Amino acid sequence: MLGVYVLRAPRWAAAGLSLGLGLTASAQIEYLGRDSFVGFFETDFDLLTNQTTFSIGNSDETFGLEDFNAFVGAPNQNELFDDTGAGQFSQLFGDAILFDSRVYAEEDRTDNAFGVYDAGALSLFTVSFRVSEDRAFTLLGERFDASRSSRPGTTSFSLTGPGVSIVETNNVLAGSGLFEAGETYTVDVIIESIGQYVDDFLGVSRTRGEDLGFDFELVLDPIVDFIPGDYDGSGQVEQGDLNLVLNNWGQPRSFEDPGGDSFTTANVDQEELNRVLNNWGDTGAAPNLAGSAVPEPGLAAAALIGLAALRRRG
């Protein structure tokens, strides 16, 4: 019985991450190179002749910066590689790197005498980049279908560069840090599933490879806009800021202006009050201009539809 994989929408979709920044946004991620690959293969070792043969079933690869939405597989039974496949969706944005992949492998069922046969599925992803100014980042990732750990399957993730070293092989991935301007950083992901068929003098044994998936989102943290007069740091100039001024009137100032401007006097006086009144209600957000173009996340939607084609044995 064959079932259809419908990959869940990644967390970044539910969170409403902007998909329209593209690769040209200023002070964002500058991509230097990228390699995405999915494929499945078989290795046969003949116990009688002591010979090993290796064959590639199918593969897809890109070295460019464009979206990579690919699936390769052999969903038909009783064929070389049997029910084995790999799929990957990876996409690059001006402020984020998104990745979602799944692999699965079934042992080879060609009943050749006295041999060991491995059917494997593989998903690889590497991207190098830098930022034009120091930017904090957040990283979230997860290996799913991990409860079937008795079956062969591995994932590995690394994010490395000056001041950053995150290496994870467990089920949940989380981290944060700072990318330094002008430095090069690299993300490497490997996901592999192996199914094995062994036919020797003692009989036949089969091990199905793990149905394994992994996704992550690497997102630059937003730049905080400081607002003159927002003395309490609430993100808006409002009553709390006015209360600070009135309650401390004439006293030595115990707060700073997050707008970054210096004060000319040491005590709370008309200067502090003017900044509150002149910026009342300000949140630092850009004005909503009528007729502004709104980017559309069409590429991400198309990629998720493509990944719904992943199939495996039920």
Side-chain angles (χ1 to χ4, degrees):
M1 175 181 177
L2 290 177
V4 177
Y5 278 138
V6 179
L7 261 70
R8 59 185 180 172
R11 290 180 300 276
W12 49 265
L17 177 67
S18 172
L19 301 178
L21 290 178
L23 302 179
T24 59
S26 62
Q28 301 285 298
I29 300 175
E30 177 189 357
Y31 293 99
L32 306 177
R34 174 217 190 136
D35 185 5
S36 294
F37 172 88
V38 290
F40 63 97
F41 56 89
E42 184 182 57
T43 303
D44 296 347
F45 175 66
D46 193 317
L47 297 176
L48 296 180
T49 64
N50 200 34
Q51 291 184 339
T52 300
T53 58
F54 178 84
S55 53
I56 295 289
N58 198 357
S59 64
D60 195 357
E61 185 171 21
T62 180
F63 293 96
L65 299 179
E66 68 275 8
D67 300 338
F68 184 68
N69 176 29
F71 167 70
V72 296
N76 298 321
Q77 301 180 34
N78 301 317
E79 292 183 0
L80 193 67
F81 307 109
D82 205 356
D83 190 9
T84 300
Q88 183 188 133
F89 162 52
S90 52
Q91 195 166 6
L92 310 180
F93 293 95
D95 68 345
I97 299 172
L98 310 178
F99 176 91
D100 198 352
S101 184
R102 177 166 288 188
V103 299
Y104 54 93
E106 181 67 279
E107 75 283 3
D108 175 45
R109 293 182 182 274
T110 56
D111 193 8
N112 298 323
F114 308 125
V116 179
Y117 313 98
D118 291 331
L122 188 65
S123 176
L124 305 175
F125 174 79
T126 299
V127 62
S128 59
F129 60 91
R130 61 190 173 209
V131 293
S132 58
E133 63 182 35
D134 290 357
R135 288 295 299 273
F137 69 86
T138 301
L139 173 69
L140 295 174
E142 182 181 3
R143 165 179 165 166
F144 50 96
D145 286 349
S147 61
R148 303 163 66 176
S149 57
S150 61
R151 297 177 176 175
T154 60
T155 64
S156 69
F157 172 94
S158 67
L159 169 60
T160 56
V164 176
S165 179
I166 301 177
V167 179
E168 183 61 66
T169 57
N170 296 324
N171 293 345
V172 177
L173 174 65
S176 60
L178 179 72
F179 293 137
E180 299 178 18
E183 301 289 356
T184 299
Y185 296 88
T186 302
V187 173
D188 281 300
V189 183
I190 300 174
I191 308 174
E192 184 177 29
S193 180
I194 299 291
Q196 190 173 81
Y197 172 101
V198 179
D199 187 356
D200 57 20
F201 298 99
L202 300 178
V204 173
S205 65
R206 293 187 174 111
T207 302
R208 186 176 183 180
E210 185 171 5
D211 169 21
L212 184 63
F214 183 75
D215 67 15
F216 75 84
E217 56 193 48
L218 174 63
V219 184
L220 297 184
D221 293 348
I223 298 175
V224 178
D225 291 325
F226 296 110
I227 309 166
D230 180 22
Y231 302 130
D232 62 1
S234 66
Q236 183 176 17
V237 181
E238 32 70 41
Q239 189 66 46
D241 306 300
L242 180 59
N243 290 344
L244 277 175
V245 172
L246 298 180
N247 292 336
N248 294 278
W249 190 267
Q251 302 298 316
R253 188 176 51 258
S254 59
F255 53 84
E256 297 298 330
D257 186 352
D261 296 330
S262 61
F263 294 95
T264 58
T265 61
N267 293 338
V268 179
D269 54 22
Q270 191 67 40
E271 187 176 16
E272 286 80 4
L273 179 60
N274 286 346
R275 294 190 186 184
V276 171
L277 298 179
N278 292 337
N279 296 285
W280 188 265
D282 192 1
T283 62
N288 184 14
L289 301 178
S292 297
V294 178
E296 298 181 4
L299 292 176
L304 289 176
I305 293 172
L307 272 182
L310 283 174
R311 305 174 64 89
R312 66 167 174 84
R313 182 185 309 279

